[in-house]
Amino acid sequence: MRNAIVVGGGLAGISAALALQDSGKWNVKLFEAGKKLGGRVSSIKDTETDMYLDNCQHACFRVYDHFLQLIGRCNAQSSIKFQQKTNVKFTNPNTGISGSLYDSKLKPPNHLAKSILKFPHLSFKDKLAMRKVVKKLSKMTEEERINLDNISFEEWLKNNGQTQNSIDVFWGFFVLAALNISIKKASTAQAAFLFRKGLFGNNDSFDVGAFSEDLSHIFENQILNTLKESGVKIYKSTKVNSLIWNGEKFSQIETSKEKFSADLIILATPHHITNRLLKKNNDLTKVICERIDKMEYNSIIGIHGLYSKMVTDEDFHFTALVNEPIIQMVFNRNFELKDKSNSKIEQWLSVPVSYADSYLSYSNQDLKEEYKKVITKIWPEHSKYLTKIVVIKTPKATFSTKTGSTKLRLTSNEIIPGLRLCGDYIDNNWPSTMESAVISGLMAASSVLENDWNSEELWENWPKPPKRGDSNWDTL
């Protein structure tokens, strides 16, 4: 058995470590600087209520094949509840008008056509123009898609006859929510992948999966236990300060307490940390660091409203909010959770603020006032029962899929002796999502195992992702 070290305990590092350990050919040590696994997918404890609040409202989708394989491998199926039919609700808080996008029995990319025709937030002119782009996206080749990296998706849509209203309400919403960036800045190569693979992919691709427990609980229980049972040795609260070159390859890491040797090191850290570690060996990694230097992050903000009484209908799950720049979506966590988190909190509303770069400078009080103003438009009585609002800011939330970003992304097997890279910035076509993180970890493991794995394939010997009606997974 050979020895491997994985640096970083987020989804990428966990996936790489577990895949290598499962192979029976490697003994793996996993190092995480924080107190808990999960990396940027995390929760905090609110000391006043003793509730664990995710750093931002998270959801997954049925198209996240490899992430769901990891969840299945860790016996955490009961932590996710899935829609059995795609249904994405949109509400205009100023008019009260609501409408949903849902799938039908028509074959992709036309499976949403019925709901789009009935969609109240788009005019007939908007809908007529959209047909051209849906057709163009479905026929686009991979080479054509990648060649659109330097043009913003908004510009590409306008060049293809899209109305400003359809860009604001439809195209822009999905880019904002899934790519965590404004449609004005998003790479068309990345946005096109989102729509081709997700919304206009299989009929069930965009079924929403909701987490029925806080994310830190999943990482610190089912995932942590699986890693331990597989034989991975875990070092939490252990920051790796440097990589050590032995003259031929990277062969050691150094923490504040000691050095650890290995036949292979996998860096599964956010790109700015990867850059810092690699720059200490500048002659070896200069070209890679020059590309990482040009990469950027986008931020997210999570806003949590806690109530002493239910203010929504019990069967309300979530809605997107039309033309609201900050309070973009509202989720009812009660609808998702297995159990109430606090006996005195009867309702928990969660708001994800995507591409929050412009709002990081806002005070928490400003963001709370904005939350109250918008929520009042939908549920006028909510403030009577509002106990507390919690704001959580994450400045370096995701790798930025801005124009030109695709060409900056690295491969998992960059030619650095003794070292492999993984993380959301690795080139696997996906934008910065839980799925892209898992795929990048599996790509690094595949490179080490030399098993010729294609990321379009499922990971061998891990459970298959769920289809609709799978009794092993909970439903919404």
Side-chain angles (χ1 to χ4, degrees), residues 436-447:
S436 70
V438 172
I439 290 176
S440 75
L442 296 178
M443 289 172 70
S446 174
S447 173

Side-chain angles (χ1 to χ4, degrees), residues 119-178:
F119 196 61
H121 306 297
L122 296 172
S123 69
F124 180 73
K125 180 182 178 182
D126 299 331
K127 297 167 186 177
L128 196 62
M130 285 171 63
R131 293 177 58 190
K132 175 184 176 181
V133 165
V134 172
K135 185 176 181 180
K136 192 160 188 174
L137 286 170
S138 65
K139 291 188 174 183
M140 185 181 289
T141 66
E142 274 299 282
E143 183 179 1
E144 288 172 335
R145 181 184 72 81
I146 292 169
N147 286 338
L148 294 171
D149 187 39
N150 287 325
I151 183 172
S152 78
F153 195 44
E154 181 180 61
E155 182 181 350
W156 184 83
L157 288 170
K158 287 181 176 179
N159 290 343
N160 284 276
Q162 297 308 282
T163 64
Q164 190 61 53
N165 188 54
S166 72
I167 290 171
D168 293 340
V169 173
F170 182 85
W171 303 108
F173 164 75
F174 286 105
V175 168
L176 187 68

Side-chain angles (χ1 to χ4, degrees), residues 62 83-88 100-116 198-208 468:
R62 206 179 291 275
Q83 289 180 338
Q84 297 305 298
K85 182 181 179 67
T86 301
N87 192 314
V88 182
S100 295
L101 297 175
Y102 51 86
D103 69 288
S104 66
K105 293 181 180 179
L106 293 175
K107 291 183 179 180
N110 298 313
H111 56 295
L112 298 174
K114 181 179 178 181
S115 65
I116 290 176
L199 204 61
F200 301 127
N202 295 329
N203 289 59
D204 64 354
S205 291
F206 231 67
D207 289 354
V208 175
R468 287 177 178 173

Side-chain angles (χ1 to χ4, degrees), residues 230-298:
S230 73
V232 175
K233 190 170 183 180
I234 300 167
Y235 297 79
K236 291 191 286 187
S237 300
T238 307
K239 181 182 178 182
V240 173
N241 294 319
S242 61
L243 311 177
I244 298 175
W245 178 262
N246 69 3
E248 296 181 355
K249 67 173 188 176
F250 286 106
S251 61
Q252 288 182 306
I253 63 166
E254 185 171 15
T255 71
S256 57
K257 294 182 179 180
E258 58 184 306
K259 296 178 181 178
F260 294 84
S261 299
D263 299 297
L264 174 80
I265 299 167
I266 295 179
L267 271 187
T269 47
H271 66 257
H272 72 287
I273 296 176
T274 299
N275 201 23
R276 174 174 58 79
L277 289 170
L278 293 182
K279 274 189 172 179
K280 293 184 177 182
N281 300 275
N282 196 45
D283 292 341
L284 298 167
T285 57
K286 182 179 180 180
V287 174
I288 291 174
C289 289
E290 286 175 349
R291 287 168 66 183
I292 297 179
D293 278 334
K294 297 176 183 177
M295 295 179 182
E296 296 178 10
Y297 283 101
N298 293 132

